[in-house]
Amino acid sequence: MAGNLGLLTRLRLRHLRSDARFLLFAAGADIDEDRGFLERTYQLYLVIIFAVAIVLSWAQVVDLVESVRDEMGSIAGSLGMLLLMLAPSCALVAWTVDGLRETPLRLTSPDIAWLARVARPQELLAVQLFGNVVVTAVVSALLGYLLGVLTWAPSPLAWAPLLSSVMVMVRLLALALGLARSAAPRRRRRAVTLVAGATSVLLAVALLLSIVTLVFLLGAYLMVPALALSVALIALSLVLASRTSMTFIVDDNELYAARVSLSFLAFANAGAYKEACRRRRLGRRRQARRTWHFARGSAAYVSHALVSLARQPSMALSALLWGGALVPAGALLVATGANAGVLFCWFFGVALAQREPLPIAHVFRADCANRLVRQLLPSAPLALLLLDALPLLVLALAASAAVVVPMAHLLGVVAAPAVLLAWALLVALVLVAALDDPGHVRSVGSFQFTAFAGGALSVFAVCLVGLLGAVPALACAVLVDVLLARSLR
């Protein structure tokens, strides 16, 4: 077993080295071919520049959190405690769902070809577990320090090991729940999956209600039971992994191996990578043979969108991300009077997220992509877009209201303008999706308006006016909606 562990560890290091080699191509360096003194000196120079950039970026993040804390005053402490409550619970559910969808024992295509007959599942887990625990501990320690800064803690550094130990425990708990499905017999696998999912939700709720109390009662001593439970969970995970069939692991890693083979495509074309992964996932499912009955008239578009949502439920999660996180964050920042630097950071995050097509309008994009069908649809672009996006748009609007209202009361601002601003921004982002319709291309000179360009300009305009307050930002967002709607008539 020790020999296999050494082999798997060296193989893991070689994978990391290959990834680093690919990323260094962008800087004109090849760590395998360029081995001369000058080439190695240049590579060292790149490493130093990268390290300095990381340090300066971290200092900027800490300064940004301090600025937000100073502007929010005493409310910052409540916000920090709320984040402390939500982070472990949300992470537990997310990690458990990921482990239940696909086995946590990950293998790439070369690993399947060469390691399936050599390595045992518990050996794979032991090597992968070390990397997962280290990454989780480091990232959660950094987040813990930021929470300590946000909550006016006398010693923010003490929050780093506290949150790190809790998140490592949560990561191992999710791993054990995910491995329960992998270790279950074939006939009981579905029942075990449901029980594990329900257990993760119950544990997440219990953790949500008790984490703040435990922090106040135990303080730094909370690390002791968290680390003890982590050790027990590691032992349990190894036992579950030893009972997992390698045949099941190989079969369940089909989608993961396909994603890894296309992973670097995400740097060049994130939309194409996401679409390729979606097609792989849908191709593996067993589609039930049934006839879908659509409504008549304009309701046919809505029923078509509902059927598409039933076939691709992951689009609902993406819509909730936009409606429950990205857009409400901007509306709340504008309502609280955040400075230009904070608003620009939010705008930059939204612009990066817009590199992938907006999931709320994916049915409209599918209709436009099929030019033969698009010519036969007797609807204007505006009507077609709104009807196709109606189910997910309603879901996103409801999520925005559900998030903005309680957060507005917590931050001490008026909820109505913030909610309306979030709704107006969501509608604007949906309307700009019509700019990707091949039949209605819009351009000014050599510049072609796309959904990305239109969305970025719309959000930037709202951010710029948002420096004056929530009401002017709302008026600007409504004006953008009216102009976009008129251009699509």
Side-chain angles (χ1 to χ4, degrees):
M1 181 175 178
N4 284 341
L5 286 178
L7 172 65
L8 293 172
T9 302
R10 290 193 299 271
L11 182 61
R12 179 61 178 169
L13 292 176
R14 287 185 67 88
H15 285 174
L16 294 177
R17 189 174 185 273
S18 299
D19 294 343
R21 181 192 179 194
F22 181 88
L23 294 177
L24 284 173
F25 280 153
D30 190 335
I31 57 178
D32 288 340
E33 299 294 336
D34 302 335
R35 299 185 178 183
F37 176 76
L38 293 178
E39 288 82 359
R40 292 303 189 193
T41 304
Y42 176 65
Q43 294 165 16
L44 179 61
Y45 166 76
L46 292 177
V47 172
I48 294 174
I49 292 297
F50 183 71
V52 171
I54 290 179
V55 172
L56 294 178
S57 300
W58 171 250
Q60 179 65 26
V61 170
V62 174
D63 182 71
L64 179 62
V65 173
E66 291 176 347
S67 301
V68 173
R69 179 197 63 188
D70 295 338
E71 290 187 3
M72 297 179 63
S74 60
I75 304 177
S78 302
L79 179 60
M81 289 300 173
L82 178 63
L83 294 176
L84 177 64
M85 294 171 58
L86 292 176
S89 301
C90 295
L92 176 59
V93 175
W95 282 331
T96 303
V97 170
D98 183 65
L100 293 176
R101 291 180 61 186
E102 297 175 353
T103 178
L105 301 172
R106 302 304 174 99
L107 292 174
T108 61
S109 297
D111 294 338
I112 292 174
W114 295 99
L115 295 179
R117 297 183 181 180
V118 178
R120 291 180 290 180
Q122 58 268 32
E123 296 170 346
L124 295 173
L125 178 64
V127 175
Q128 296 175 9
L129 191 61
F130 177 78
N132 292 338
V133 169
V134 169
V135 172
T136 303
V138 172
V139 174
S140 56
L142 296 177
L143 294 177
Y145 179 80
L146 293 179
L147 284 180
V149 173
L150 183 63
T151 54
W152 301 88
S155 177
L157 194 61
W159 280 64
L162 178 63
L163 186 63
S164 179
S165 59
V166 172
M167 294 300 288
V168 167
M169 179 198 68
V170 169
R171 182 72 179 93
L172 294 172
L173 179 58
L175 177 65
L177 292 173
L179 285 172
R181 167 183 172 267
S182 302
R186 183 176 181 180
R187 295 181 178 179
R188 300 178 182 177
R189 190 164 293 146
R190 181 170 297 180
V192 171
T193 302
L194 294 175
V195 172
T199 303
S200 70
V201 173
L202 294 177
L203 291 176
V205 173
L207 191 61
L208 178 68
L209 299 177
S210 62
I211 184 65
V212 174
T213 303
L214 292 175
V215 169
F216 276 112
L217 291 179
L218 300 179
Y221 294 102
L222 180 60
M223 294 186 294
V224 177
L227 294 176
L229 185 57
S230 298
V231 174
L233 290 171
I234 290 175
L236 176 61
S237 299
L238 291 173
V239 171
L240 292 173
S242 64
R243 298 183 179 181
T244 305
S245 170
M246 185 58 75
T247 303
F248 169 78
I249 294 175
V250 171
D251 180 66
D252 212 43
N253 270 280
E254 178 185 354
L255 293 178
Y256 174 75
R259 289 200 306 270
V260 171
S261 63
L262 299 172
S263 58
F264 290 113
L265 176 63
F267 290 94
N269 192 333
Y273 168 75
K274 189 174 182 180
E275 180 65 17
C277 293
R278 186 186 68 84
R279 289 183 180 275
R280 284 270 189 173
R281 184 170 59 252
L282 292 178
R284 195 184 178 194
R285 293 179 182 175
R286 295 180 179 179
Q287 299 291 344
R289 294 185 176 180
R290 59 173 300 174
T291 301
W292 297 94
H293 298 284
F294 296 100
R296 295 183 178 181
S298 299
Y301 303 116
V302 180
S303 60
H304 176 216
L306 291 173
V307 169
S308 178
L309 179 60
R311 290 176 174 173
Q312 304 177 49
S314 61
M315 289 297 176
L317 297 178
S318 301
L320 288 175
L321 175 62
W322 278 93
L326 291 176
V327 173
L332 290 171
L333 288 175
V334 172
T336 54
N339 57 35
V342 176
L343 287 178
F344 177 76
C345 291
W346 172 75
F347 163 74
F348 185 71
V350 173
L352 288 178
Q354 281 187 299
R355 293 185 304 169
E356 297 184 5
L358 187 71
I360 301 177
H362 79 283
V363 177
F364 174 78
R365 290 194 307 273
D367 288 340
C368 293
N370 192 335
R371 298 190 178 186
L372 178 61
V373 174
R374 178 66 184 92
Q375 295 175 357
L376 300 177
L377 295 176
S379 296
L382 178 60
L384 179 63
L385 173 62
L386 293 179
L387 292 174
D388 281 345
L390 185 60
L392 288 178
L393 180 58
V394 170
L395 182 64
L397 294 176
S400 295
V403 171
V404 171
V405 171
M407 290 299 297
H409 289 296
L410 182 63
L411 297 174
V413 298
V414 182
V419 172
L420 294 176
L421 177 59
W423 285 359
L425 282 172
L426 279 172
V427 172
L429 292 173
V430 171
L431 291 176
V432 297
L435 299 176
D436 283 343
D437 185 357
H440 298 80
V441 177
R442 293 168 177 82
S443 59
V444 177
S446 60
F447 179 77
Q448 180 178 340
F449 280 100
T450 62
F452 173 79
L457 291 175
S458 300
V459 175
F460 179 77
V462 174
C463 282
L464 193 61
V465 180
L467 296 174
L468 302 177
V471 176
L474 175 59
C476 178
V478 172
L479 178 61
V480 169
D481 292 341
V482 173
L483 294 177
L484 287 172
R486 287 181 60 87
S487 66
L488 298 175
R489 293 179 59 182

